[in-house]
Amino acid sequence: MLYLSLVLAFVASILLTPVVKAIAFKVGAVDRPNYRKVHARIMPRLGGLAIFGSFLIGYFVLRPEDSTALYIILGAFMIIITGVLDDMFEITAKAKLLGQFIAAGIVIYGGLEIEFINLPFGGELDFGYFSIPLTILWIVGITNAINLIDGLDGLAAGVSTIALITLAGMAFMMGDMFVFAMAALLAASSAGFLFYNFHPAKIFMGDTGALFLGYMIGVLALLGFKNITVISLIIPIIMLGVPISDTFFAIVRRVRLKQPLSAPDKSHLHHCLLNVGFTHRQTVLIIYALASMFGLAALIFSQATLWGAILLIAVMLVAIELFVEAVGLAGKNYKPLINFVRMIGK
């Protein structure tokens, strides 16, 4: 039944996307070019509806059981409504944030929250009154992290698919079949959408898709790793290394420039790679490779000893810093690297 559900979700995504594309043009849910965007022509949005619809088809065929399942789906509907409104009418950042808070509140009401973690050297850290705020911060944070990287054809959908495959793999290893099934269904739905969204894209997922994928990844990652050790709680952070690090640097950048946190700019990772000379397709493939490396690191991390895990974290932090420095200097000092990647991407 699982394999049938995955195939149905994948095929449904391929079949539903052209339908959603036609609807987007009809209702005016389109993305118009401007100074901040990479595309040069009017593009239909709302692609997230195809991902959501195909996921629901697979979900209702498979019907994975968990006490939080109903609340996760209800929260997803809230996120979809928020995304559709933004794709059609471009609502304010505060209104989008309100929709995300309501969706997070729904799953928390259903029993999902970070209540405590076991400390690596003994003892337990009970979050108490901070349990609900921390849970909301995680869900809303990951939701927006995926939304922030949705700046190139196929980028958010591809990175999300890689993260979901990693999450499904770790859930299977842990014996958590609900998280495994949900993540696998989402990955299949997102992969089907990539047929139309990879460069050159025929449709964008819009906030409908980016917010939905971010919300679901945040909720499922939390569901799979809550109330365990500090080290284990770091696993979903590593798994989502690309969107989280990009969001972190965006926040630092805006605080330093005294700009609102919601202010748009062209200094995200994908913009930087484009600026140093990589093509659209090459930039997306490089970030796919980075996301895959983070996913592999998360899998290794989940099987490592305590000291091995600490060492891996240290190595990853150094690697991130070196990569950031490399991107910053690439225009002058990394011409051979750029030429090599260009050759691979042809």
Side-chain angles (χ1 to χ4, degrees):
M1 186 63 75
L2 173 63
Y3 295 116
L4 174 61
S5 301
L6 293 177
V7 171
L8 283 175
F10 180 75
V11 173
S13 185
I14 294 175
L15 296 177
L16 285 175
T17 302
V19 177
V20 171
K21 179 183 175 182
I23 293 173
F25 275 122
K26 184 169 290 188
V27 300
V30 295
D31 198 343
R32 302 180 186 279
N34 61 34
Y35 76 96
R36 192 174 58 86
K37 296 174 182 177
V38 176
H39 63 281
R41 58 191 176 92
I42 295 176
M43 292 290 293
R45 296 193 282 199
L46 284 182
L49 279 179
I51 299 174
F52 180 59
S54 56
F55 165 74
L56 285 182
I57 289 172
Y59 173 81
F60 284 116
V61 170
L62 186 59
R63 295 186 182 181
E65 295 183 1
D66 188 84
S67 59
T68 60
L70 175 61
Y71 300 95
I72 291 173
I73 298 299
L74 290 176
F77 270 104
M78 185 66 234
I79 284 289
I80 289 294
I81 291 171
T82 303
V84 168
L85 289 174
D86 188 60
D87 285 340
M88 291 179 64
F89 307 112
E90 296 189 3
I91 60 177
T92 65
K94 289 182 179 179
K96 283 196 289 185
L97 200 59
L98 176 61
Q100 294 168 42
F101 270 89
I102 293 173
I106 291 171
V107 290
I108 289 172
Y109 180 78
L112 177 62
E113 60 181 284
I114 310 171
E115 297 174 352
F116 65 89
I117 53 173
N118 297 310
L119 300 175
F121 298 105
E124 180 181 284
L125 177 60
D126 192 332
F127 290 116
Y129 293 113
F130 292 101
S131 175
I132 291 178
L134 282 173
T135 305
I136 292 175
L137 180 63
W138 170 264
I139 295 173
V140 172
I142 298 303
T143 300
N144 284 285
I146 298 298
N147 196 28
L148 281 175
I149 66 167
D150 186 25
L152 295 180
D153 297 354
L155 184 55
V159 169
S160 296
T161 302
I162 292 167
L164 287 163
I165 291 171
T166 304
L167 181 57
M170 286 192 288
F172 182 80
M173 290 164 59
M174 295 168 60
D176 190 334
M177 300 314 293
F178 175 75
V179 172
F180 167 70
M182 295 286 277
L185 287 171
L186 277 168
S189 302
S190 183
F193 178 72
L194 271 172
F195 274 85
Y196 300 92
N197 187 234
F198 194 73
H199 185 70
K202 298 177 179 64
I203 183 173
F204 292 161
M205 66 165 61
D207 273 24
T208 307
L211 294 179
F212 170 61
L213 287 174
Y215 162 81
M216 291 298 293
I217 290 172
V219 168
L220 292 177
L222 188 61
L223 187 62
F225 297 97
K226 68 169 186 170
N227 299 342
I228 42 181
T229 65
V230 173
I231 298 298
S232 297
L233 197 61
I234 295 172
I235 292 174
I237 298 176
I238 295 175
M239 180 183 69
L240 297 166
V242 169
I244 288 177
S245 59
D246 193 43
T247 301
F248 172 76
F249 287 121
I251 291 173
V252 171
R253 187 167 60 247
R254 288 162 190 173
V255 169
R256 181 172 57 85
L257 297 174
K258 297 180 180 180
Q259 296 177 339
L261 295 182
S262 59
D265 61 29
K266 293 194 71 172
S267 298
H268 290 286
L269 175 60
H270 53 275
H271 291 128
C272 293
L273 290 172
L274 287 172
N275 290 339
V276 300
F278 293 115
T279 67
H280 193 126
R281 184 185 295 265
Q282 289 163 354
T283 297
V284 172
L285 292 176
I286 289 170
I287 299 177
Y288 281 4
L290 287 173
S292 299
M293 289 173 61
F294 275 112
L296 179 60
L299 286 170
I300 295 172
F301 188 90
S302 67
Q303 302 300 309
T305 62
L306 174 60
W307 291 110
I310 293 173
L311 177 62
L312 183 58
I313 292 173
V315 170
M316 289 189 65
L317 289 174
V318 172
I320 292 172
E321 174 61 24
L322 290 175
F323 180 77
V324 171
E325 293 293 333
V327 171
L329 297 172
K332 292 188 297 184
N333 301 329
Y334 288 82
K335 289 288 185 181
L337 175 61
I338 295 175
N339 292 334
F340 175 71
V341 175
R342 281 177 175 169
M343 181 181 67
I344 293 175
K346 287 181 179 178

